[in-house]
Structure formats: structure tokens, C-alpha cells
Amino acid sequence: MNKPVKRSAPLLAAALALMLAFSGCGTVAQPAASSEAASTSASAVAESSSAAASESASASAAAPAIDTSKEVQLVGYLLGAAPDGAPAVFEKFNEKLKADINATMEINYIGWSNLDAQYPLVLAAGENIDWIFTADWCKYMTEAAKGAFLELSDDMLKAYMPRHVAALDPEGWAQSKIGGKIYMIPTSTPDRKGYGVTIRGDLREKYGVPAIKRFSDLEPYLEAISKNNPEMIPMNMDNTFDINAPLFYLMNENGGNIQDLFASTGSGGGVYREFDGADAFKVFSVSDEPYLSKLKENAKIMKSWYDKGYINKNVFANNVRSKDAFEQGKSAVGIGNTQDLQTNTAKGLEMGWNVEIVLSNTKDGHSMANSFLNNGVAIAQSSENPERALMALDLMMQDLEYDKLLMFGLEGVSYKITDQGKVALPDGVTAETNPYNWDGNGFWFINKDIVPARSTWSDAYIAMVKDLRDNVLIPDPCAGFTVATDNIKTEVANCQNVYKEFFNPIAIGAVKDVDAAFDNMIGKLKDAGQQKLVDEAAAQLKAWKEANGK
């Protein structure tokens, strides 16, 4: 564009990141500039897409003419690994993009195992990058504080992303602001999901185990599997997503939904708040009561399960998530959320299993709704074509044809539309042979309310999702708050090292004495300076609450 874009660095510092482990960094080859990847939100089943589509079309029609006579090539980064079928999908994508805005795009992937190291390096290099996936759990605050992301003005967004501006609830922009400025384009459809596990309902019924409504009622099922299915580990956990989840599921139901305020900066620091109730704005540590007693009580349940052989002994070395082991017939429990556990229900339909989902909600039957920042993108400060990048993202995030292409791949190859208007795999294609993984392609920021529902979603699953939306999910009063760590960097690093070393064994039950293990960890956290984390987080949360009128 003729008008230069003003670039400025944010002043607020914070730290958010993700500790997961999967694959490395890769690039999908793109066509030459002259020639012509996502968990689907089940809310698409329950919510109308016509209004969003209408708003997008109206916004597009109202957008002013923009000079796109100069062809440009854009570069973007997603998380995970490129599906095998990505090159063909991206070739079609580039044909459309070239025709619509005279641009092509190279799309790269940063692997989960390289996320913490590679993500900041890509931005620090300052070359060959226009946009990158970001989220409240993935580097948004940290990299914005470094000045790695471009400040986005209201005028820029209205001019170059009219569809998205029309589709996004104003609360999304409000949550994205750091020091009153926007450095991120949040998704217009935050994930509406609950957390819990999948179980084999057919085996539960076979062994005469009563219906399971709560995660904390799982033990009779685990016992039955242990006795009757030697080829399975009842709960075959991995060392990243799964490792702390069951303990906190038990806490949700039996002790309060506590959130570690430093979990997204690394491994956590044992500094918590509750997401609902009277303690939503209260900061406390792992040593404070009544939370310590509740943690010990639930950790003793985990130790009992571990000692009985219900949990695998190689958790720290295991990189295979329980949800994947569930599909392989190696775990009787899949741990996750109601979106990524869809693959378990689909596998159940394929195999003739009766897969049931057991949610872990609070004692009041609630679960915390995700913020708008749980998926999104940022424009790199070094982008040479930020305006065209915004135009491309507007299409990618809000145009139905782009959304279907990026989420499901090529029609007839990776998906088909059924007579009922739902998305299904083409004849002869299975989830294993599908060259374009619907759930792992990285395009989690698109408008998930306008794409078709999946044919594999059972009536029970659809009913559960509707119940989540209408009755279970409640907003987090602290959505958008994160702790700026500039003043406590050393203490945060020290506490995270202690927490990772000593809390993870407690969480899976791999300790001789739960009480002694907690006492030992608490002492080491105190020596590491945990009180500074508590004091700093409490002061910042109080200031944030007052500034936002909470």
C-alpha cells in the first residue's frame, strides 16, 4: 500500500507459553509467486451460521477499493506439523488467494517440541515472516512485550479485515488489548469445550460397571479393565498434556477449579486462583488452606490408582497421548477436551465401540469458557506487507470457501458433503489414510461456526455440546489477565524448575508418601522465592480488576 504503517512496540511485559512435545519445524513448498490446517468447534452444530455469513458478506461489500496491483508473497507460521496432503491444499489455496488479492503464501509449521525455542527465534530473525499463530497460551504476551508483533489500529482492521471486524464480538478486541493497544487478531469463535475423558462404554457395560457421570467415579471402570483387559493400561498417560490433568480433574470436582497463574509461562509455579466463586480474584499458593488439604486428598487418589497399576509406569518417558493410545486399543481412557476427543468418538463408530465422554466439571456443574485469545494470529513487526497479510487473514478467517479448504482440505480427496449437508470422509478414506488431518492442520483461528458439522457427531455428542454451551460453560471473570514477569524473572524460573521436578511425580501418584512429598516441594518453593510470585500476581490482579471495573 502507498500509506506506510506505523510500527510501535508494546510497553507491557508478560509471559505466556506452552509446554507440549510433539514434532519439529517444517515448511510446505509453495508454488512460484506468478503461478497459481484445527479442531472443529462442535458449537457449529448448535449455532446458526447464516448471520455470520451475512455479516461477512455485507462487510466485504462495504469495504473500500484497495490497490492490489503489486503481487506479493506472504509468509505465515502455524503450530504442529504439516499434513501429508498440505502441498495440494495450499496450491489450491494460493490459486484462490492470487485471484482474490494478488498474493501467494508460504505456510510453515513450528513443531510442538520446538515451540519454546523456535517460536521466538522465527520472530527475532526479522525476515521472511508476515504473520504467526498466537494465543494467550502461546507467546502472545511475551512476544508482544518484546515488540515482535505489529500494533493494529482500528482503522487498519476496518480497512483490511472488514469481514472479521463484523464477525468478532467487541469483547474479543477488548481482551486482546495490552496497555490499551491491539497486537493480536483473536478468533471470532473461541473454543467452546469442556474437559474430561473418553471411556469404552461397551466394556463398561460388559463388566457390569454402572454409568459414570463424574471423573471421580472412574475407579470401578479402571479396576474392571485392569482385571479383564491385559492388553490395555487403564490410563496410559503421556508426559505433557496428560501428566497433571487427572489430578486437576479430581480437584475440579472435589476441591475447587484452581488455575496456576504461571502455568503458561512454563511448568507452573504453584500459585493459583479459582476461576469462579468468591476466590476468583484471590491469589494463593499451594501451601495455603483449604487448597493444600484438597490437593493432598486428591493426590492420594492418584497414588492409589498408580499403585494398583491403573496408570502406566513410564509416564515421564511416554510421548503418546492417552487419547491416541485409546484409539490404538492400548488405553481404556482418553484424556482431553470435547473437541480433540472427537477423534475417539469417530474411531468408536468405525470400530463398533460405544465411546462415552465423562466431563470433569466443578462441584456446581460448571467449566470455564475459553477466552477469545485461545486462538488467533499476530502480524510480525518486520512484515513488509502487513496490509496484504491482513487481507489474506480476513479471507482465511471468515470466508466459507477458504474455511472449508483450510479446515477439511480438498473436496473429494479429504472430505465430501453428505446429502444432509454434513462433512464426511470420502468413500474408501479413513481417518488414518486421510492425507489432510482435519484436527491437526493448525488453522484453529478460522470461523468455526460457518463450516458444516461432521457426520460422525452422534446425537448424544451434539446434545452434550449444546448442554456445554447453554448450561456448563461460564465466563472467566479474569479473562485477558496475565502476570507480567519482568520484576520476578529469576523467581519464576526457579519456582518452575522446582514445580516441574517435584509436582509432576505427585500428580501421577509416583511418590512414596504424598504428605511428605508436598512438604518437601513447599519448602523448596519457599526457598526459590515463591512468595514474590504470590505478592506480584496479587498486586497485578488487584490493579487489573480495578482498571477493568470488575
Side-chain angles (χ1 to χ4, degrees), residues 348-371:
L349 288 175
E350 177 187 332
M351 300 297 293
W353 303 338
N354 175 24
V355 176
E356 298 172 337
I357 295 180
V358 180
L359 293 178
S360 171
N361 298 325
T362 67
K363 55 184 177 294
D364 297 322
H366 296 305
S367 187
M368 182 174 67
N370 282 114
S371 78

Side-chain angles (χ1 to χ4, degrees), residues 456-468:
T456 53
W457 291 347
S458 66
D459 291 342
Y461 183 81
I462 293 172
M464 179 199 65
V465 170
K466 186 177 186 301
D467 184 58
L468 272 174

Side-chain angles (χ1 to χ4, degrees), residues 41 43 47 52 164 167-168 186-192 339 371-372 374-375 397-398 444-450:
S41 172
S43 60
E47 300 194 16
H164 194 64
L168 178 60
T187 179
S188 61
T189 52
D191 291 342
R192 304 173 185 106
Q339 290 185 349
S371 78
F372 284 90
N374 76 313
N375 289 307
M397 297 175 83
Q398 297 299 338
W444 307 312
F445 47 78
I446 71 166
N447 187 335
K448 296 177 281 290
D449 284 348
I450 65 175

Side-chain angles (χ1 to χ4, degrees), residues 119 132-136 138-140 149 184 373-378:
Y119 192 104
I132 191 168
F133 177 91
T134 192
D136 51 8
C138 183
K139 314 293 186 185
Y140 176 47
F149 296 152
M184 171 184 174
L373 308 188
N374 76 313
N375 289 307
V377 290

